[in-house]
Amino acid sequence: MTISNKPSVNSPVNPSASPSGSALNNQWWAVSVACSPALEDSVYWQFEQMGSKGTASQQQNGDCTVTAYLLQSQYQPSDFEALQATLNQNAAEGNLPDVRVSWRLIADEDWASSWKTHWQAEEIGDRLLINPAWMTPPATERAILTLDPGSAFGTGAHATTQLCLKVLEKQDLVGATVADIGCGSGILSIAALLYGANRAYAADVDPLAVTSTRANAKLNGISLEQLQVQLGSLPEVIAMTDKPVNGIVCNILAEIIVALIIPRLGELAAPAGQPPTWGILSGILTAKAPWVERHLTVCGWQVVDLTEQDEWCAMTIQRRL
């Protein structure tokens, strides 16, 4: 079984911390959707529209369960019955099994801390070990990345993050400069720096992710000069860099990659006559890979490798010169 946050435009937040800061005495709906993995994106989107204060997924034996936390005062059971009807319509259109929606009331709890009991040190790829900051790392010859993601996306558990890390370790990173768009916990930037990169420029639209990235850099002995992070997305990364980067990593949903990232990706790329800039794009359902590739081609990029895990894929891309 895997337990993970899901990449999105805005990272999930701790359900006990509402925007107004007044949710500490509220009860919460824990709403779970059991569905085909192919519907996972649709379920996350629906929960995002409902204002979920935290969303996580579990996958086991080919089945997927997505759970979200919603303020009790804002929803009634009839809302969840309507959600099930909408999702079942989506499932029927895709010839997929019906979904099952269940819900229960729960008391306040520090979710950002409680999930830690489920997370252990994990080997990723051939070179890396992700170790929770609150645990003593095991003896290993692997590079150890110490991580406390808090409520930011990127523990290394989700397939999209694992794909990025596995592809990243194959790149020539010694002395490289890397751009990290949608950095979450900072896991990809930190891994690149552990592999020998000279500097990483990172951004995320969630202030919690920016804070998490800075904290995790410190945990790994990385200076804020080596890993520069700002609130924002691709435009902010472009503004931070004073010259083209060697590599780009981006683990965001395919729709965001196509609409907002690909059209301006070339502004980070090396010009003709220099070694071509490479990129790693993840958060992409394998079924959507051809669609993403078409947009890359139009904007002057080519896919040089495609790595798959579960229903997700990571594209290794290179600027055509």
Side-chain angles (χ1 to χ4, degrees), residues 11 128 130 145-156 161 165 168 178 180-194 200-204 206 208-218 220 222 227-229 249 251:
S11 301
L128 192 67
I130 306 294
L145 196 162
T146 303
L147 198 67
D148 187 350
S151 53
F153 172 73
T155 64
T161 309
L165 291 168
L168 187 63
V178 175
D180 185 356
I181 306 161
C183 59
S185 65
I187 186 171
L188 300 179
S189 289
I190 293 170
L193 292 163
L194 292 178
Y201 298 97
D204 199 288
D206 189 346
L208 293 172
V210 175
T211 300
S212 179
T213 294
R214 289 174 177 157
N216 284 315
K218 185 176 181 179
N220 288 275
I222 292 169
L227 203 176
Q228 299 182 24
V229 57
V249 292
N251 183 17

Side-chain angles (χ1 to χ4, degrees), residues 9-186:
V9 184
N10 294 295
S11 301
V13 297
N14 182 347
S16 63
S18 71
S20 65
S22 61
L24 291 176
N25 296 317
N26 281 296
Q27 284 191 308
W28 299 86
W29 288 112
V31 185
S32 295
V33 177
C35 62
S36 163
L39 278 178
E40 186 182 23
D41 264 358
S42 294
V43 176
Y44 266 89
W45 186 86
Q46 292 287 345
F47 279 141
E48 232 178 63
Q49 301 310 300
M50 295 173 75
S52 169
K53 302 302 180 183
T55 313
S57 63
Q58 301 178 1
Q59 292 198 26
Q60 190 173 26
N61 300 325
D63 296 323
C64 179
T65 301
V66 182
T67 301
Y69 301 95
L70 302 161
L71 272 173
Q72 182 268 338
S73 59
Q74 296 178 356
Y75 291 95
Q76 300 178 1
S78 59
D79 295 310
F80 310 135
E81 292 170 354
L83 172 66
Q84 178 166 276
T86 298
L87 291 171
N88 275 331
Q89 182 177 351
N90 293 343
E93 291 172 356
N95 294 317
L96 298 170
D98 283 350
V99 305
R100 299 186 306 279
V101 179
S102 59
W103 54 90
R104 61 189 176 91
L105 278 174
I106 52 176
D108 275 327
E109 183 177 348
D110 183 0
W111 299 104
S113 296
S114 64
W115 66 265
K116 292 180 180 181
T117 60
H118 301 286
W119 189 34
Q120 303 295 316
E122 184 173 7
E123 294 181 349
I124 308 291
D126 297 325
R127 300 174 58 185
L128 192 67
L129 183 134
I130 306 294
N131 193 73
W134 52 92
M135 295 180 63
T136 301
T140 181
E141 295 183 357
R142 291 170 173 258
I144 297 176
L145 196 162
T146 303
L147 198 67
D148 187 350
S151 53
F153 172 73
T155 64
H158 196 274
T160 59
T161 309
Q162 291 190 5
L163 282 166
C164 282
L165 291 168
K166 290 174 182 177
V167 176
L168 187 63
E169 71 178 20
K170 299 177 182 178
Q171 309 305 316
D172 182 8
L173 287 162
V174 177
T177 301
V178 175
D180 185 356
I181 306 161
C183 59
S185 65

